[in-house]
Amino acid sequence: MATSSPTTEQVWEIDRAVEDLVRGEAAWAACDRVKRRELLERMSVATAQHAEEWVRAAVAYKHLPEDSPLVGEEWITGPYPVLTSLGSLAASIEALEESRSPVDGFSLGQAPGGRVSVRVLPHSIWDQLLLNGFSAEVWMPPGVTKEEVRTRAGLAQLRPAETNGVGVVLGAGNITSIPILDVLYELYANNRVVALKLNPVTDGLLDVFREVLAPLIDLGAVRILTGGADVGGYLVHHPKVSHVHMTGSAATHDTIVFGPGAEGRARKAASTPLLGKPVTSELGGVSPTIVIPGDWSEADLRYQAEHIATQKLHNGGYNCVASQVVLISSDWAQKDRFLTHLRQALSDAPARPAYYPGSDDRVGQAVDAYADARCLAGGRVLLTDLDPADPGPALTTEYFGPVLAVLALPGDMGQFLDEAIHTANERLAGTLGVNLIAHPRTIAALGGALDKVIAELRYGTVALNAWTGVGYLTATASWGAYPGHTLDDVQSGIGVVHNALLLDGPERTVVRGPFHPAPRAILHGKTTLSPKPPWFVSNRTAATTGRLLADFAASPRWTALPKIFASALRG
């Protein structure tokens, strides 16, 4: 994994941590479901107690102003999804305790191609109120029956005493909930005790993570390590480690699995991994947003431009599922007007530092590759006028930064959708997430054909009039690449995470949201209550709303709702 080696002291620390986990595996195996649920409940209390400290640490390493609305991103993608996941996992364990399936009480339906769908959002009354207008389904692979979904849900918790050794989680450096959620999935879905190696970018969160994971650390089921690639390399090759899970880029994955440089490339070409143990991963790629043409109002054009700006600029563009290519119809009468709004939305989004290592170099590569690249305010780059026949590296290189490309494809509605599906499936790198935007009248006109479009798109999360990030935030949804990738063609990864219902082998998550926000939705005959979502980069009260949502996730109660609604409406 690296040309350098860890110090003697680091080797000693790693060896001791792994030995602790070898012993801790027996303690984890001895925990029945009641004990495992109690551990989740204790972690929830700890997360709530240390949420403020968590957000302060994230704000510090991302260099955000403490009074910025962007602080809301750290609440909503830090403590909030951990709290909701802890609660959902605890509910699944409780169902198994009572000889029920975790999916009991969830609606099972049919999706195109003989697939069973599990409606995971909304589920509770709280979902219906706080995420009104949003929905999510998990689609299972074709041929899986409803009874199989029900009886197989639970994964390793169906046989909790049968543990699977020591696993390594190589933590992400961008979204602060990822390391904790990955640890939980390794323990509860796969029955592996975990050595969590933090990304050096997130070392400032070490103390918080120790507090949140304290119940598992005290049991001996988790150890946390810090250090660079040398530490990670020694850890993943440790003879007593049986499995590795990582979040990052395909390039980093290949270095870990096959080794660096020319030798690593040769091993990959020969399908002879240097790392001889199972690896799962959640990797990035070039995520597209497909804008389906329709007759939009000026307010629609402006709002959906802000929506795409959010898909690109949330967390500064340092998201595995950040939109990178907008696929738009060259024959759409409103194309130019929409692109004007998009340029404005990208420019108007709040400024923030480029905190993630290598960002300036990657943005510079995009500018160098396109002579007509538009450099906008705040270091953002917009690439337009791409040639469909030779669009350049924007379709195959994940820039992982504030770079957005627009690719116009010809044709009427049917031809455009065919071209967009082909481009998304065959020409773009990665399969993590794809966004679709369509006016309700267009959705009605397409009818069942739109579900077929969703089924044809080979992505782990498909979002219609919502950002795929909503799938990440939905604890009971699956998160990961489209299934079927291999070590030597990994695309956006192998396996899934989150999946708090512990579904066996989900294919994808499908998210739907409102095209119009409240209160404007009422003018269009919709009863949607959701205003501009708090994850929008243009939301003025995101910090307050994010804090309130995290507090609510820790302790759901009716009395907390008025403040949440008031803050959300002011956004």
Side-chain angles (χ1 to χ4, degrees):
M1 179 177 174
T3 56
S4 59
S5 299
T7 66
T8 301
E9 182 179 353
Q10 287 173 322
V11 168
W12 178 83
E13 183 182 5
I14 297 166
D15 287 346
R16 184 180 66 174
V18 173
E19 290 296 338
D20 287 348
L21 291 168
V22 170
R23 292 188 295 271
E25 183 180 4
W28 179 246
C31 289
D32 61 12
R33 295 185 186 120
V34 173
K35 175 65 173 177
R36 294 184 182 197
R37 176 172 52 80
E38 290 172 350
L39 289 167
L40 293 168
E41 292 165 351
R42 288 169 56 196
M43 282 186 280
S44 182
V45 172
T47 301
Q49 289 175 340
H50 295 278
E52 185 83 39
E53 181 185 354
W54 182 328
V55 170
R56 282 200 306 268
V59 166
Y61 89 77
K62 296 183 181 183
H63 308 296
L64 294 174
E66 293 185 359
D67 60 350
S68 171
L70 296 174
V71 173
E73 293 180 355
E74 303 312 316
W75 285 101
I76 292 170
T77 63
Y80 172 77
V82 170
L83 288 162
T84 56
S85 290
L86 289 165
S88 296
L89 270 175
S92 291
I93 301 299
E94 184 175 25
L96 293 170
E97 289 173 42
E98 298 172 354
S99 299
R100 296 183 289 111
S101 171
V103 300
D104 287 354
F106 289 81
S107 176
L108 303 186
Q110 292 295 134
R115 294 172 171 90
V116 171
S117 63
V118 184
R119 188 176 181 89
V120 296
L121 181 76
H123 180 62
S124 69
I125 183 63
W126 310 124
D127 294 338
Q128 295 175 33
L129 292 171
L130 294 175
L131 289 168
N132 190 267
F134 289 89
S135 66
E137 296 175 340
V138 177
W139 288 11
M140 304 302 290
V144 176
T145 67
K146 292 181 180 180
E147 183 58 22
E148 287 170 334
V149 171
R150 183 183 180 278
T151 57
R152 294 176 184 173
L155 296 178
Q157 296 312 306
L158 294 173
R159 295 170 295 279
E162 298 177 14
T163 53
N164 293 302
V166 177
V168 166
V169 167
L170 299 177
N174 55 343
I175 296 296
T176 61
S177 55
I178 293 175
I180 303 295
L181 295 177
D182 289 353
V183 166
L184 291 175
Y185 201 70
E186 281 294 274
L187 278 160
Y188 282 84
N190 298 313
N191 253 355
R192 278 189 284 268
V193 293
V194 181
L196 168 62
K197 209 289 286 185
L198 297 184
N199 186 305
V201 176
T202 63
D203 280 353
L205 285 156
L206 175 61
D207 290 342
V208 174
F209 285 175
R210 280 175 172 162
E211 294 289 349
V212 169
L213 293 171
L216 295 170
I217 293 172
D218 293 345
L219 182 69
V222 170
R223 289 293 181 266
I224 307 178
L225 297 163
T226 60
D230 50 356
V231 171
Y234 182 83
L235 179 61
V236 300
H237 287 281
H238 197 287
K240 294 185 179 179
V241 165
S242 60
H243 182 274
V244 175
H245 177 80
M246 65 159 291
T247 300
S249 68
T252 301
H253 168 274
D254 287 351
T255 299
I256 292 169
V257 173
F258 297 103
E263 290 184 2
R265 290 191 291 274
R267 290 190 192 96
K268 181 179 178 181
S271 297
T272 54
L274 181 65
L275 184 64
K277 56 191 70 176
V279 179
T280 55
S281 51
E282 188 265 83
L283 311 175
V286 177
S287 293
T289 297
I290 300 172
V291 180
I292 302 177
D295 184 13
W296 297 10
S297 70
E298 195 72 10
D300 296 337
L301 294 168
R302 183 170 54 252
Y303 179 78
Q304 294 302 339
E306 290 183 27
H307 194 180
I308 294 179
T310 291
Q311 295 170 7
K312 172 73 272 178
L313 297 178
H314 182 278
N315 194 37
Y318 311 118
N319 286 331
C320 289
V321 77
S323 180
Q324 183 166 302
V325 176
V326 179
L327 301 177
I328 196 167
S329 170
S330 57
D331 296 321
W332 185 27
Q334 295 177 297
K335 174 178 73 75
D336 291 340
R337 187 64 188 149
F338 179 71
L339 293 180
T340 297
H341 280 291
L342 182 58
R343 285 191 296 271
Q344 194 64 50
L346 292 169
S347 296
D348 289 348
R352 67 175 94 200
Y355 76 87
Y356 207 86
S359 176
D360 291 342
D361 289 342
R362 293 189 298 274
V363 173
Q365 291 168 14
V367 173
D368 291 343
Y370 293 91
D372 57 353
R374 301 188 183 209
C375 297
L376 307 176
R380 291 83 189 243
V381 173
L382 181 63
L383 309 174
T384 56
D385 302 320
L386 272 64
D387 180 357
D390 184 18
L395 273 63
T396 55
T397 300
E398 182 190 9
Y399 289 122
F400 206 66
V403 177
L404 183 66
V406 177
L407 178 62
L409 301 172
D412 58 15
M413 175 78 73
Q415 182 184 352
F416 168 74
L417 280 174
D418 288 344
E419 289 289 335
I421 293 168
H422 173 78
T423 300
N425 283 345
E426 306 297 341
R427 303 182 69 186
L428 301 186
T431 63
L432 187 59
V434 56
N435 310 284
L436 295 151
I437 297 177
H439 194 282
R441 286 193 297 269
T442 304
I443 294 173
L446 287 168
L450 186 55
D451 275 350
K452 293 180 181 177
V453 168
I454 292 172
E456 288 183 52
L457 287 163
R458 298 193 296 269
Y459 285 82
T461 298
V462 182
L464 173 62
N465 291 336
W467 179 34
T468 47
V470 178
Y472 176 92
L473 294 175
T474 303
T476 45
S478 60
W479 182 254
Y482 191 78
H485 302 314
T486 59
L487 286 180
D488 52 2
D489 183 21
V490 74
Q491 295 286 319
S492 289
I494 298 170
V496 300
V497 289
H498 303 189
N499 185 27
L501 294 182
L502 303 175
L503 299 170
D504 185 16
E507 181 187 73
R508 74 181 85 194
T509 288
V510 178
V511 177
R512 292 178 172 86
F515 183 84
H516 300 106
R520 191 158 55 86
I522 298 172
L523 302 177
H524 296 271
K526 304 293 184 181
T527 57
T528 301
L529 300 178
S530 293
K532 179 186 292 185
W535 53 84
F536 266 45
V537 294
S538 54
N539 190 300
R540 295 170 295 181
T541 60
T544 301
T545 305
R547 180 195 296 267
L548 291 169
L549 285 171
D551 174 71
F552 183 85
S555 178
R557 58 206 185 276
W558 289 101
T559 55
L561 295 179
K563 284 186 177 180
I564 297 175
F565 292 150
S567 179
L569 287 169
R570 290 195 303 270

